Amino acid sequence: MKRLNHILLTTALCSVLTACDVLDQEPQAEVSESVAVTNLKGATAAMAGMYNQLQDGNYYGRNFILMGDVAADISQSVGTWDFYREMDTYVTAPANRENAAMWTRAYRAVNIANTLIEAVPTLTDIPDATKNAILGQAYFIRGLTFFDLTRSYGGVPGVVGTLGIPLVLKPSKQVDDSLFPSRSTLVESYAQVESDLLKSLELLPETHANITTTRSQAVKGTARALLSRLYLYTNQPQKVIEYANLVINDSKYALLGSYESIFSGAFSTESIFELAFGSTDQSGLRNWYFPSSMGGRGDIAIHEGFYAELIANPNDVRGKMTARDNVVGVYYSTKYQKAGNIDNVHILRIAEVYLNRAEALAQTGNLTGALADLNRIRTRAGLAASTVTGLQPTLQAIWQERKIELAFEGHRFFDLVRTNQALTKLVAVARKNGPPITLTNAGRQVFPIPLADIDSNKNLDQNEGYR
């Protein structure tokens, strides 16, 4: 039983109707028929369960975003939770609880997506347009999840890593050798992400029934936006531009006039893919950033150096979305501040797509176009237009704008790795609790494969930096 409980696909085998904890799982061989997708009602419930995996606190509801921030130079662990402290100081153990929880939750999302991909084409009570919409969302979520897993545990081609992730493409139904997959190559993993996203783009509608579902569930614009991000990782700037153009020219999406309103409101024109949270389905980000005096846990704070960058220009509205915890003596983000921990989470925003295109335009020699996109973001933030010249200064200006614009949204560590800057930027980063920290081990530009999965699956190889 120990082997079965620890294998990634067994822990990932969640009921497709609800989100659940590992200890609540039925044994795999005893999964009831009630969770099978046999009609439209079951498919709709399964799809809701798939999105619920993304909302979970171990994925976009908290953990994955914090992993991308504390491992970088914008956020730091100042509390008692050792698992984030390890990530903050580059000593993450393969047994790290938060790391393992993200891996497991992501593969649960994959399992539900696989269930839908296999079952929905056989259903007879669903019109073709509805089938395509459900399948398109399943392919999108699988592509997104494989992307997150690959960049977290595999790396970036040409920068770090050669091994990708286990590409599980069939739902888990029985105990057999399929439960013990090996890792695909890094190139194969990114190719699967691309394949899934292109398939989702083929199947998805342009819109859903209303603006809320159009921004909280995948549509064609959602797939195009994620493809624009993917092609930055795989160094295909012309494709970045192609898909970014399609999103930017889509009338559904536009930069919101007020940066603060992106987060105090919900489902604005800024939003391409936004997860909704409420009183019965709470986000954990406010709790981890806000101090105890404000009803939070306060384990995560802003790095001192980054706070100085945020407030360097008093006209930058983004620097105003911070506050000081006078008890601990640190600053924290107020990007997530709704009482009751009901802040939505943005996975894709139009501002990112502009910055994706700016970077790609610069890489293809169109510095004028790159500067125009960069300055759209700066102008909205209250800053004067940049007049930087030259390829490398332009790229550095774009990357710095990404750092500030997308702060506390889980991007920074992955941006540093994909641009091959992690080992030069994460140097002597000052911390509140302890000496300055430097990332010296190139192999730790990725996270470790969870120890429980390494122990239970002889076909899984650990990342070099954690052997």
Side-chain angles (χ1 to χ4, degrees):
M1 266 315 273
K2 180 178 179 181
R3 180 179 178 85
L4 194 60
N5 286 337
H6 281 197
I7 186 65
L8 71 103
L9 294 182
T10 302
T11 56
L13 187 60
C14 183
S15 164
V16 298
L17 300 181
T18 59
C20 47
D21 295 326
V22 174
L23 296 180
D24 292 333
Q25 300 303 305
E26 295 176 276
Q28 188 186 45
E30 299 174 16
V31 174
S32 66
E33 289 297 320
S34 65
V35 303
V37 177
T38 58
N39 52 35
L40 177 58
K41 182 178 179 181
T44 302
M47 190 169 65
M50 179 176 66
Y51 282 101
N52 207 327
Q53 304 309 305
L54 267 62
Q55 290 176 295
D56 188 86
N58 288 321
Y59 202 178
Y60 279 102
R62 167 184 54 88
N63 194 19
F64 184 56
I65 290 177
L66 292 185
M67 287 171 65
D69 286 347
V70 300
D73 52 358
I74 64 171
S75 296
Q76 58 179 319
S77 168
V78 295
T80 59
W81 201 242
D82 290 343
F83 305 108
Y84 288 135
R85 184 75 56 81
E86 289 182 0
M87 296 176 186
D88 187 12
T89 55
Y90 311 115
V91 294
T92 306
N96 184 288
R97 173 175 166 179
E98 298 295 353
N99 179 66
M102 186 270 162
W103 168 281
T104 298
R105 185 62 59 176
Y107 272 109
R108 288 183 185 170
V110 168
N111 196 58
I112 299 176
N114 285 341
T115 298
L116 287 166
I117 290 168
E118 180 177 86
V120 168
T122 69
L123 304 183
T124 59
D125 69 329
I126 304 181
D128 286 345
T130 305
K131 278 187 181 181
N132 287 344
I134 295 172
L135 287 169
Q137 291 176 75
Y139 277 107
F140 175 82
I141 296 301
R142 191 173 76 178
L144 169 67
T145 306
F146 278 160
F147 188 10
D148 292 340
L149 287 164
T150 299
R151 59 192 177 131
S152 297
Y153 301 100
V156 178
V159 178
V160 60
T162 57
L163 287 177
I165 59 168
L167 294 174
V168 184
L169 304 179
K170 296 290 183 181
S172 302
K173 294 181 177 179
Q174 59 188 7
V175 180
D176 57 26
D177 288 344
S178 68
L179 285 179
F180 307 103
S182 59
R183 298 173 67 179
S184 299
T185 68
L186 189 59
V187 171
E188 289 168 343
S189 297
Y190 277 108
Q192 184 63 50
V193 174
E194 180 184 34
S195 175
D196 280 348
L197 294 181
L198 290 174
K199 185 65 174 178
S200 75
L201 181 57
E202 173 190 329
L203 295 168
L204 285 167
E206 289 286 354
T207 61
H208 291 304
N210 56 60
I211 197 64
T212 298
T213 52
T214 295
R215 300 189 193 283
S216 62
Q217 297 181 11
V219 294
K220 286 188 185 298
T222 325
R224 292 169 182 143
L226 190 56
L227 281 163
S228 81
R229 182 194 293 174
L230 169 67
Y231 290 129
L232 281 178
Y233 280 73
T234 56
N235 194 26
Q236 299 179 77
Q238 291 291 359
K239 289 188 175 181
V240 175
I241 296 167
E242 174 188 349
Y243 286 99
N245 284 345
L246 291 170
V247 178
I248 290 168
N249 294 332
D250 189 330
S251 61
K252 292 192 297 293
Y253 312 118
L255 290 173
L256 200 61
S258 165
Y259 183 80
E260 186 275 336
S261 295
I262 300 168
F263 307 97
S264 63
F267 305 114
S268 70
T269 58
E270 179 87 17
S271 178
I272 299 172
F273 188 34
E274 177 177 340
L275 296 180
F277 291 86
S279 58
T280 60
D281 196 4
Q282 299 179 5
S283 160
L285 291 169
R286 179 192 182 278
N287 179 56
W288 281 74
Y289 271 110
F290 269 55
S292 58
S293 61
M294 298 288 292
R297 180 184 177 106
D299 265 45
I300 308 298
I302 303 174
H303 268 300
E304 289 85 347
F306 182 53
Y307 176 73
E309 293 178 37
L310 281 172
I311 65 167
N313 190 321
N315 296 320
D316 193 333
V317 298
R318 298 165 300 190
K320 295 178 173 62
M321 296 183 67
T322 61
R324 178 176 171 81
D325 177 0
N326 291 320
V327 176
V328 181
V330 297
Y331 292 91
Y332 59 93
S333 171
T334 60
K335 187 172 277 190
Y336 311 101
Q337 59 176 297
K338 293 180 180 177
N341 298 310
I342 60 172
D343 296 276
N344 286 358
V345 171
H346 295 81
I347 297 179
L348 292 161
R349 294 200 279 120
I350 188 66
E352 181 200 346
V353 178
Y354 272 110
L355 291 169
N356 293 349
R357 189 172 73 173
E359 187 173 331
L361 287 170
Q363 290 170 337
T364 56
N366 186 350
L367 298 184
T368 300
L371 206 59
D373 279 347
L374 170 64
N375 284 331
R376 286 184 176 92
I377 306 305
R378 290 178 60 83
T379 299
R380 195 263 298 274
L383 302 177
S386 172
T387 58
V388 66
T389 59
L391 175 58
Q392 284 305 316
T394 299
L395 286 173
Q396 288 294 338
I398 293 167
W399 294 334
Q400 177 65 17
E401 204 64 34
R402 290 183 71 97
K403 181 180 182 182
I404 295 177
E405 174 70 22
L406 303 175
F408 318 115
E409 297 177 50
H411 291 266
R412 179 61 175 171
F413 181 69
F414 300 107
D415 275 344
L416 286 173
V417 173
R418 72 169 179 82
T419 58
N420 203 17
Q421 297 183 99
L423 297 177
T424 57
K425 293 287 188 180
L426 299 176
V427 175
V429 179
R431 299 182 65 256
K432 174 68 175 178
N433 294 342
I437 293 297
T438 298
L439 174 59
T440 57
N441 186 337
R444 297 213 165 198
Q445 294 177 89
V446 294
F447 293 94
I449 306 298
L451 180 63
D453 297 278
I454 292 291
D455 286 346
S456 60
N457 181 0
K458 61 180 174 51
N459 297 319
L460 276 183
D461 293 322
Q462 182 58 274
N463 286 321
E464 184 176 352
Y466 302 94
R467 292 173 186 168

